[in-house]
DNA sequence: CGTTGGGTTGAGCTTGTTCAACCACCGTGG
DNA sequence: CCACGGTGGTTGAACAAGCTCAACCCAACG
């Protein structure tokens, strides 16, 4: 199934090594794959096994696309390690990054008349547990608790994206960058990931497309925050020195 | 319940008059109130009755708040006529309007630790069927088909808000206004409402806060479109003359 | 008939964009 | 080993889109 459509390495079922550099806990595919985002209640053994049988482990290289908007909607992916950028491409090479998804989250779920509703791109090396869409839905339909988890996850994302609307619509460039850092900090800790330093493997272009700015503007905003001693920058890592000040600057 | 908390007129159960000026079909409270947004499969009589018993008809004046962000999450509202603006207020009087909701849609659903996640404001006179939150959830939990409708509605909104992210992040002022008009046209027809003329009862301020612009900019964008003969403006009504051109101008 | 609130229009200003140069890093190949 | 080109990030200067502020219009209303 999945492996045929999407040219990603498919791992044998045994190799469930967990070497996620920044994730405290590795979340193997068959361990609570229904949990879409935050909560992590393991399923009982029988159902774990059942779901496990419908999933395949895949590994994606940096900048590889898990799925593309408009393409016939194939598998649903549960990220087990790495970060995925979910985005909508639009005319003239512009695109809007909708979210950066962390391990434990599900992507490729939404479809628009039979096709994926977004692009999904690996920001880092990414491992996923990929489920056949039909089987996934069948499993969800057959397990009320899992269904509720999915619903809760949808509600959660709706909240987040509502917040992001406000960021895009109302904040200045510096406020947006500050709010981005706070969001990432919050998300990382919600996923049990390290926040000091904060690992930001996405490019300036990714951040710019997420915040509705140009890369130069993002760069300048970072420079400003650095200059004001609010944070320290070192390649892909950020250390926030003055969280209080950063929160004020985010202006929400 | 509801009436005590929220100072809106509560109608007696009999008066289910339908005088929605622009809605082709009136959707009385007990008729498929589970249907959150678009689809409208009537429930069978027994369950209609059951749900009906948990709902109250309310009527809201223009500019009245159905609920406010942060307030203890009370009832869940199903709009039966009129338009509701869902928004997030932020510092210094700024706010982001997240969506304009039409008859048939549900609002006040999302909560952030026990409080409403958004403001809900009546743009026109609005009629709602207001459900006790606990009872609503219980009913949904007891009716699988209804639960699925709710889930589908959440997915639908997630799609729309993903689109809106792209509008806020990437489009120019004129593109935003054009895309707004197209969105409204699409939504209105999806709800069986008239689109020629397109009735836009929301103020310039509402539109501006929805599009992340200032009222002057919105006004100028409308003027430009009018000048280019793409549309005609008459108080609260808009007639789109050149839909094709408008779509091009929206640039998505 | 004056006031008020929503909408429009103009002029100047601010913020973020555009365009270009420059730097650091890195993998490649002579 | 070092020259080379490619990529991603930073910085500067000029420009433009949208914002601010102010004036004005018009309809509704007491």
């Amino acid at each position: 199934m999945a492996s045929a459509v999407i040219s990603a390495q498919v791992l044998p079922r045994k190799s469930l090594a967990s070497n996620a550099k920044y994730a405290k806990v590795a979340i193997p595919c068959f361990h609570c794959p229904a949990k879409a985002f935050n909560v992590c209640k393991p399923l009982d053994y029988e159902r774990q096994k059942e779901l496990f049988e419908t999933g395949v482990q895949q590994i994606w290289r940096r900048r590889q696309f898990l799925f593309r908007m408009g393409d016939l909607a194939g598998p649903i992916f549960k990220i087990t390690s790495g970060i995925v950028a979910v985005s909508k491409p639009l005319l003239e090479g512009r695109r809007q990054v909708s979210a950066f998804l962390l391990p434990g989250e599900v992507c490729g779920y939404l479809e628009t008349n039979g096709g994926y509703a977004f692009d999904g791109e690996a920001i880092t090396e990414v491992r996923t547990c990929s489920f056949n869409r039909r089987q996934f839905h069948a499993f969800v339909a057959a397990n009320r608790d899992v269904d509720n988890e999915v619903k809760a996850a949808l509600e959660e994302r709706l909240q987040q994206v509502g917040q992001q609307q406000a960021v895009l619509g109302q904040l200045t460039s510096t406020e947006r960058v500050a709010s981005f850092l706070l969001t990432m900090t919050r998300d990382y800790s919600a996923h049990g990931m390290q926040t000091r330093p904060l690992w930001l493997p996405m490019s300036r272009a990714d951040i710019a497309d997420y915040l509705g700015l140009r890369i130069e503007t993002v760069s300048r905003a970072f420079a400003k925050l650095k200059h004001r001693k609010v944070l320290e920058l070192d390649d892909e890592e950020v250390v926030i020195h003055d969280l209080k000040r950063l929160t004020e600057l985010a202006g929400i």
Side-chain angles (χ1 to χ4, degrees), chain A residues 43-61:
Chain A
L43 295 170
D44 52 89
Y45 181 74
E46 275 311 310
R47 291 193 298 158
Q48 261 187 46
K49 191 153 160 287
E50 181 191 341
L51 184 55
F52 182 33
E53 256 135 39
T54 77
V56 185
Q57 287 266 323
Q58 285 183 295
I59 186 161
W60 310 82
R61 294 185 311 279

Side-chain angles (χ1 to χ4, degrees), chain A residues 54-76:
Chain A
T54 77
V56 185
Q57 287 266 323
Q58 285 183 295
I59 186 161
W60 310 82
R61 294 185 311 279
R62 225 170 214 250
R63 292 295 151 196
Q64 201 175 2
F65 281 87
L66 283 71
F67 51 93
R68 281 192 188 267
M69 181 169 139
D71 281 4
L72 186 67
I76 291 171

Side-chain angles (χ1 to χ4, degrees), chain A residues 14-97:
Chain A
K14 299 95 216 161
S15 78
L16 296 170
S18 67
N19 67 343
K21 190 181 168 192
Y22 285 82
K24 252 196 261 165
V25 200
I27 307 167
C29 148
F30 51 89
H31 180 244
C32 80
K35 188 248 89 181
F37 301 142
N38 297 320
V39 203
C40 195
K41 279 177 250 158
L43 295 170
D44 52 89
Y45 181 74
E46 275 311 310
R47 291 193 298 158
Q48 261 187 46
K49 191 153 160 287
E50 181 191 341
L51 184 55
F52 182 33
E53 256 135 39
T54 77
V56 185
Q57 287 266 323
Q58 285 183 295
I59 186 161
W60 310 82
R61 294 185 311 279
R62 225 170 214 250
R63 292 295 151 196
Q64 201 175 2
F65 281 87
L66 283 71
F67 51 93
R68 281 192 188 267
M69 181 169 139
D71 281 4
L72 186 67
I76 291 171
F77 305 91
K78 186 179 172 68
I79 305 167
T80 54
S81 85
I83 300 183
V84 172
V86 171
S87 63
K88 265 189 197 298
L90 27 155
L91 274 53
E92 299 146 33
R94 302 216 158 186
R95 64 173 186 150
Q96 178 64 39
V97 172

Side-chain angles (χ1 to χ4, degrees), chain A residues 1 13 25 48 57 135 143 147 181-182 188 199 213:
Chain A
M1 43 152 276
R13 292 248 157 103
V25 200
Q48 261 187 46
Q57 287 266 323
Q135 289 177 315
N143 293 271
D147 195 19
L181 290 167
L182 291 174
Y188 275 41
W199 183 44
L213 300 169

Side-chain angles (χ1 to χ4, degrees), chain A residues 67 97 102 127 137:
Chain A
F67 51 93
V97 172
L102 303 181
R127 281 153 198 273
H137 281 134

Side-chain angles (χ1 to χ4, degrees), chain A residues 178-236:
Chain A
S179 119
F180 165 70
L181 290 167
L182 291 174
T183 303
M184 292 316 281
T185 304
R186 184 175 44 66
D187 287 358
Y188 275 41
S189 47
H191 285 81
M193 290 162 75
Q194 173 185 329
T195 60
R196 297 191 111 241
L198 190 66
W199 183 44
L200 298 180
M202 61 289 283
S203 70
R204 289 285 179 274
D206 294 328
I207 301 176
D209 288 347
Y210 177 63
L211 296 175
L213 300 169
R214 317 266 96 197
I215 52 175
E216 296 93 335
T217 312
V218 172
S219 190
R220 281 183 246 269
F222 270 118
K224 194 188 279 184
L225 292 171
K226 197 166 59 179
H227 184 248
R228 291 190 195 172
K229 306 246 186 293
V230 177
L231 52 82
E232 214 171 337
L233 257 174
D234 174 32
D235 191 34
E236 293 191 342

